[in-house]
């Protein structure tokens, strides 16, 4: 049976991608953020997950407002990042796992979710930046991708509880898969930030710390706020925490925080990176 | 942006300094956002740069949207239904990043906007004792 070995939660600011392209990892502005990935690199080298299931939001690469799915699950054997308007396209393709995607789709639809199913989709910086951060360099990614897009753009957005429940259904689906893959769950985006309006530049360290404190031991604490509460607290893009809430939902067993790095600011964003380990049973 | 009083009259929640991109905004902004979405393609970015007026006409922008684009008025584009995820692609053509946009919208200089972000400056790191994390 498949196993979920843990969760990786990280901001996905496009500027991080630019910093990677320009090799600025040791630049004083960027170093405190990139250093947060040292424990994740060691953990990934030890765990060697086969598949990454990534909860993220598309920013206008694959989806436009003509057809905006609340939830969309990739079911392709390959995905690519493409130019999002700034001329940067990460070259490394992402290998998919269509069979496991379809198993997840079957399971979550049986659990009364209604995702859009995508046999062809591009993935934007919200997937590409976390992959580049986790597996730096030029070699092919050692881990396959299953992207799950959550609408955080066009209101009404799904509720935090709905996202958490979707994550639970995805977690149960993975653990009922007959293969022997080791799976890591990603939640990308956040933490507090707001790009538009008179309140552009909004940061809320208190709310971010509340999320970071509760993510591992009590994720349901994050469900006390509805989506507009979160917009008010964390900013109109801080609502990307929905991706973290969904990803945390997929970790239904025993969870322990292995690493956490919070660094403000990166561009307009309060950046954070968290690594959680996951096992089905409590360890002796 | 709609004034708070009007939002409340519509039964909508008002969040200070913040535009919630809801169905009304999405309908009002469709043409502008569709144009910005087209800028994922380099050829389209070049076509816009070569003939802004013709390109805006092709996407049927409203007069309000066209004026906001002509004036590089970010708050005007938002008021006309623009969504920042799409507007960011237009801003890129003008050589502006999200920090430039932040400064333009808040009436600060870029340096002031960056300094305001740095007022929140904090770094907090925790790493557990775990064999898998050993260097």
């Amino acid at each position: 049976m498949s196993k979920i070995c843990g969760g990786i939660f990280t901001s996905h600011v496009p500027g991080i991608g630019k910093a990677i392209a320009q090799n600025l990892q040791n630049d004083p502005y960027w170093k405190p953020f990139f250093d947060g990935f040292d424990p994740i690199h060691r953990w990934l080298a030890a765990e060697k997950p086969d598949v990454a299931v990534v909860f993220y939001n598309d920013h206008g690469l694959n989806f436009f407002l003509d057809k905006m799915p609340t939830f969309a699950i990739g079911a392709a054997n390959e995905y690519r990042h493409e130019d999002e308007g700034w001329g940067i396209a990460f070259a490394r393709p992402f290998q998919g796992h269509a069979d496991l995607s379809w198993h997840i789709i079957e399971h979550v639809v049986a659990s009364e979710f209604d995702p859009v199913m995508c046999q062809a989709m591009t993935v934007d910086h919200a997937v590409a930046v976390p992959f580049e951060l986790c597996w730096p360099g030029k070699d092919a990614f050692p881990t396959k991708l299953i992207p799950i897009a959550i609408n955080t753009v066009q209101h009404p957005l799904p509720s935090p509880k709905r996202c958490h429940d979707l994550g639970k259904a995805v977690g149960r689906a993975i653990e009922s898969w007959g293969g022997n893959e080791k799976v890591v769950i990603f939640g990308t985006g956040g933490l507090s930030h707001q790009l538009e309006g008179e309140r552009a530049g909004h940061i809320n360290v208190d709310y971010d710390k509340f999320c970071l404190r509760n993510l591992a031991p009590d994720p349901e604490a994050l469900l006390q706020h509805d989506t507009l509460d979160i917009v008010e607290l964390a900013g109109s893009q801080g609502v990307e925490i929905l991706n973290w809430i969904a990803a945390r939902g997929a970790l239904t067993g025993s969870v322990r925080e292995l690493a956490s790095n919070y660094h403000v600011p990166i561009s307009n964003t309060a950046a954070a990176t968290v690594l959680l380990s996951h096992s089905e049973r409590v360890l002796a | 942006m709609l004034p708070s009083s009007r939002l409340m009259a519509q039964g909508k929640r008002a969040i200070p300094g913040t535009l919630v991109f809801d169905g009304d905004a999405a309908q009002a902004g469709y043409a502008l956002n569709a144009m910005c979405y087209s800028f994922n393609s380099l050829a389209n970015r070049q076509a816009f740069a070569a003939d802004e007026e013709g390109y805006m006409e092709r996407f049927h922008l409203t007069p309000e949207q066209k004026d906001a684009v002509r004036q590089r008025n970010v708050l005007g584009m938002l008021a006309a239904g623009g969504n920042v995820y799409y507007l960011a692609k237009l801003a890129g053509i003008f050589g502006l990043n999200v920090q430039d946009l932040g400064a333009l919208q808040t009436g600060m200089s870029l340096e002031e906007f960056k300094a305001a972000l740095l007022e929140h400056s904090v770094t907090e790191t925790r790493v557990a004792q775990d064999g898998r994390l050993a260097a």
Side-chain angles (χ1 to χ4, degrees):
Chain A
M1 300 291 273
S2 286
K3 278 190 181 151
I4 297 174
C5 56
I8 295 171
F9 304 76
T10 183
S11 304
H12 61 217
V13 180
I16 299 168
K18 208 170 170 187
I20 292 170
Q22 297 174 349
N23 266 320
L24 296 177
Q25 291 87 341
N26 287 312
D27 178 273
Y29 182 84
W30 292 100
K31 191 175 181 346
F33 174 75
F34 280 97
D35 281 353
F37 279 83
D38 290 347
I40 291 180
H41 293 157
R42 291 194 286 271
W43 183 82
L44 285 169
E47 289 286 347
K48 297 184 175 58
D50 303 293
V51 181
V53 174
V54 180
F55 292 90
Y56 75 107
N57 60 291
D58 181 88
H59 303 68
L61 178 66
N62 190 69
F63 296 114
F64 179 58
L65 302 170
D66 56 343
K67 306 171 197 70
M68 180 57 75
T70 297
F71 300 126
I73 301 181
N77 278 315
E78 186 177 282
Y79 307 90
R80 286 188 176 272
H81 177 246
E82 288 181 3
D83 185 353
E84 299 179 48
W86 309 288
I88 295 177
F90 291 107
R92 288 191 282 178
F94 307 88
Q95 205 185 339
H97 192 322
D99 289 342
L100 179 53
S101 287
W102 283 110
H103 172 78
I104 291 171
I105 290 166
E106 288 280 355
H107 191 102
V108 300
V109 172
S111 302
E112 302 186 336
F113 286 88
D114 311 295
V116 168
M117 302 162 247
C118 303
Q119 289 200 66
M121 71 193 291
T122 52
V123 292
D124 75 357
H125 63 269
V127 172
V129 164
F131 261 60
E132 294 287 339
L133 284 165
C134 285
W135 294 283
K138 303 271 184 226
D139 294 343
F141 292 121
T143 301
K144 293 178 179 177
L145 167 67
I146 295 178
I148 302 182
I150 296 178
N151 167 34
T152 67
V153 176
Q154 166 73 76
H155 288 256
L157 311 183
S159 72
K161 178 180 183 300
R162 186 72 175 155
C163 294
H164 194 238
D165 287 346
L166 173 71
K168 287 183 190 172
V170 168
R172 288 191 300 264
I174 294 165
E175 288 174 338
S176 69
W177 171 245
N180 57 4
E181 288 88 345
K182 198 187 266 192
V183 178
V184 60
I185 308 292
F186 278 66
T188 87
L191 290 179
S192 63
H193 64 302
Q194 175 156 331
L195 302 179
E196 79 274 36
E198 290 93 341
R199 204 176 65 149
H202 174 73
I203 299 270
N204 186 340
V205 172
D206 283 345
Y207 177 73
D208 293 340
K209 287 188 176 179
F210 158 80
C211 292
L212 292 169
R213 205 165 51 238
N214 286 290
L215 184 70
D218 184 17
E220 298 204 353
L222 277 65
L223 309 185
Q224 68 186 272
H225 304 112
D226 68 23
T227 52
L228 290 181
D229 292 337
I230 296 175
V231 168
E232 181 151 9
L233 287 164
S236 34
Q237 282 72 42
V239 78
E240 292 170 344
I241 191 75
L242 291 175
N243 301 323
W244 287 44
I245 289 170
R248 178 62 184 85
L251 309 176
T252 58
S254 175
V255 170
R256 177 174 164 236
E257 181 188 286
L258 293 182
S260 171
N261 187 46
Y262 180 57
H263 177 69
V264 187
I266 285 295
S267 185
N268 294 8
T269 300
T273 303
V274 177
L275 170 64
L276 304 182
S277 70
H278 174 263
S279 55
E280 287 175 63
R281 278 169 292 168
V282 176
L283 299 171
Chain B
M1 183 172 306
L2 294 171
S4 299
S5 55
R6 192 172 146 204
L7 286 171
M8 281 154 75
Q10 292 172 352
K12 291 186 183 183
R13 173 164 168 182
I15 299 174
T18 303
L19 192 149
V20 174
F21 190 74
D22 62 7
D24 288 338
Q27 288 186 73
Y30 194 86
L32 174 59
N33 292 319
M35 180 181 84
C36 293
Y37 181 62
S38 79
F39 296 145
N40 284 340
S41 146
L42 174 62
N44 289 340
R45 298 197 290 272
Q46 290 170 338
F48 173 83
D51 176 14
E52 289 191 19
E53 291 296 326
Y55 202 88
M56 290 196 287
E57 193 56 48
R58 202 176 116 197
F59 279 84
H60 308 293
L61 266 62
T62 66
E64 185 191 6
Q65 291 169 347
K66 285 180 186 170
D67 275 346
V69 172
R70 285 183 197 118
Q71 294 162 18
R72 315 308 195 227
N73 176 355
V74 183
L75 291 176
M77 294 181 214
L78 292 171
N83 178 283
V84 73
Y85 286 133
Y86 306 105
L87 295 180
K89 302 172 197 292
L90 171 63
I93 299 176
F94 301 147
L96 304 172
N97 63 29
V98 293
Q99 296 208 294
D100 298 308
L101 290 186
L104 287 170
Q105 295 173 95
T106 54
M108 297 184 204
S109 70
L110 180 60
E111 290 316 310
E112 287 168 344
F113 185 74
K114 286 183 175 177
L117 285 160
L118 281 167
E119 281 173 20
H120 303 284
S121 185
V122 54
T123 304
E124 276 193 12
T125 305
R126 296 189 291 266
V127 180
Q129 294 292 317
D130 188 289
R132 290 167 295 183
L133 304 184

